[in-house]
Amino acid sequence: MVKWEKEICIALMLFALASALIVASSIAREDHLIGPGCSSEKVSDILSKSREKAEYLRAYAESIKHKSANQDFLSLAMQSPDASEERPAEGEVKYYPTGLIVTAAELADNMAKIDAANRLLRASGINISYPASWDWRSKGMVTEVRDQRSCGACVAFAALAVEESTWLIANSSHNYNLSEWYLFQIAGGDCSTGSQYERILKAAKAPGTVTEECCPYLESTLCTLPLYTILSWKKIYTSAEAKEHIAKKGPLMSGMGVYEDFYWVDSNKIYAQEWGSFYGYHAICIVGYDDAQGCWIIKNSWSRLWGDEGFCRI
């Protein structure tokens, strides 16, 4: 039976994948229904893949270390002189998992829809208003930074970062820590490859997820209720609408292309990609923006040791 219901809104934003913005309007529910749990067989399978991923990452880090030890950093600095001081010292390696699966066709479709949406907005003459800056952290409406560790579960982490904040905004007593592992598994996520937005969102809608206490990250489930669910989601494609949503309703979920220099984010600067190889697509949560500084403020899932205690400006 449903204990209670309350309307809230969550949101997603693919600003760096193809500058596409996605917003999910939803009703979050706490349902006391028995749903599919993290079966021991499935946990075992995914944990095995997680260990394989960890071994792969260690080997990959060693290959990067070997490559960087033989790299001509002076030549690279000449190509991008302003970034030379931000590069790691020779031989240093830093790597974090990504896990957002997106195809070239999806990116092309996003770009086309972004272009059409922005042209339509300009032609309509509609004035979308929002404050010059906003940061949900300053209002105490952002939950703790999590750590996806060696598993490519970033989409589940980003989705629940938004959902947890939205619960807080709806009622500050609802400081939930929801289970990314439960959601990732029921959505068919794979630690070695990751997951797609739509599969995670479909799972977040039904059956939903449980608390972290019920299903700890990378461990076996202890219970399958209560379930926390969303009702629906939709896409938007303009920055103005995204900022309006952030200021009026709550954080956004987003995706971006990750290059090596993103692993070395300087907490005192606004990140913009300058050097390094492409490593994949990654899902993050956007908790604010600042027009004066020209940046978005993101919450990542790489622990508090990364960036500005787990956050950064981009």
Side-chain angles (χ1 to χ4, degrees):
M1 60 182 275
V2 177
K3 185 177 181 181
W4 57 272
E5 298 184 359
K6 185 173 181 62
E7 282 197 11
I8 63 172
C9 293
I10 71 169
L12 313 99
M13 173 186 178
L14 300 178
F15 70 94
L17 281 180
S19 301
L21 313 182
I22 301 180
V23 167
S25 296
S26 74
I27 296 176
R29 291 192 296 264
E30 183 182 18
D31 291 355
H32 291 266
L33 299 172
I34 296 178
C38 312
S39 67
S40 58
E41 293 80 11
K42 192 164 187 180
V43 169
S44 175
D45 290 343
I46 298 181
L47 284 175
S48 175
K49 292 174 181 177
S50 181
R51 285 190 289 270
E52 291 174 7
K53 177 71 171 180
E55 290 297 325
Y56 166 77
L57 293 181
R58 280 192 286 272
Y60 191 50
E62 286 300 316
S63 70
I64 296 173
K65 183 175 181 179
H66 176 75
K67 179 180 178 181
S68 63
N70 295 284
Q71 199 168 12
D72 185 355
F73 280 90
L74 177 60
S75 175
L76 287 172
M78 290 175 66
Q79 296 175 29
S80 182
D82 294 336
S84 60
E85 294 183 359
E86 298 176 9
R87 297 179 185 279
E90 290 189 34
E92 284 190 78
V93 176
K94 187 179 288 190
Y95 181 84
Y96 297 96
T98 53
L100 172 58
I101 299 174
V102 62
T103 67
E106 288 174 313
L107 292 178
D109 183 59
N110 278 338
M111 289 296 284
K113 289 178 179 177
I114 291 160
D115 181 61
N118 280 281
R119 282 189 285 106
L120 181 62
L121 184 61
R122 288 193 296 269
S124 69
I126 296 174
N127 182 30
I128 299 176
S129 61
Y130 48 85
S133 64
W134 195 272
D135 187 345
W136 281 108
R137 294 177 300 174
S138 65
K139 305 178 189 306
M141 298 299 170
V142 177
T143 55
E144 292 184 12
V145 170
R146 319 293 185 200
D147 185 0
Q148 67 184 87
R149 289 184 258 176
S150 62
C151 181
C154 61
V155 184
F157 277 85
L160 293 186
V162 174
E163 186 174 339
E164 288 171 355
S165 281
T166 311
W167 279 108
L168 273 173
I169 293 166
N171 187 325
S172 59
S173 67
H174 298 157
N175 191 359
Y176 297 132
N177 181 0
L178 302 179
S179 174
E180 294 86 6
W181 189 230
Y182 188 94
L183 181 62
F184 187 63
Q185 290 182 93
I186 60 174
D190 186 307
C191 278
S192 62
T193 56
S195 186
Q196 304 97 334
Y197 274 128
E198 295 203 15
R199 294 189 70 172
I200 289 291
L201 290 166
K202 183 178 179 181
K205 182 179 178 181
T209 192
V210 296
T211 64
E212 182 71 12
E213 184 179 12
C214 276
C215 189
Y217 192 56
L218 298 180
E219 297 180 18
S220 297
T221 188
L222 302 174
C223 54
T224 57
L225 54 88
L227 289 166
Y228 299 83
T229 65
I230 66 170
L231 178 65
S232 63
W233 59 278
K234 64 179 180 179
K235 298 180 181 180
I236 64 170
Y237 296 92
T238 69
S239 295
E241 290 172 287
K243 291 173 184 177
E244 179 188 45
H245 183 95
I246 290 172
K248 292 183 178 180
K249 297 181 178 180
L252 302 169
M253 176 173 157
S254 181
M256 61 178 292
V258 170
Y259 290 78
E260 185 181 356
D261 61 352
F262 192 60
Y263 299 146
W264 299 87
V265 162
D266 186 335
S267 60
N268 296 314
K269 297 182 180 179
I270 297 173
Y271 171 77
Q273 197 278 323
E274 294 180 322
W275 60 269
S277 301
F278 175 75
Y279 282 86
Y281 294 112
H282 183 53
I284 43 96
C285 170
I286 304 190
V287 299
Y289 61 88
D290 190 326
D291 282 348
Q293 297 187 49
C295 68
W296 303 95
I297 303 166
I298 73 166
K299 175 186 180 183
N300 205 348
S301 53
W302 290 347
S303 85
R304 292 171 60 96
L305 298 178
W306 174 88
D308 182 10
E309 296 189 344
F311 298 86
C312 89
R313 293 171 296 158
I314 181 170

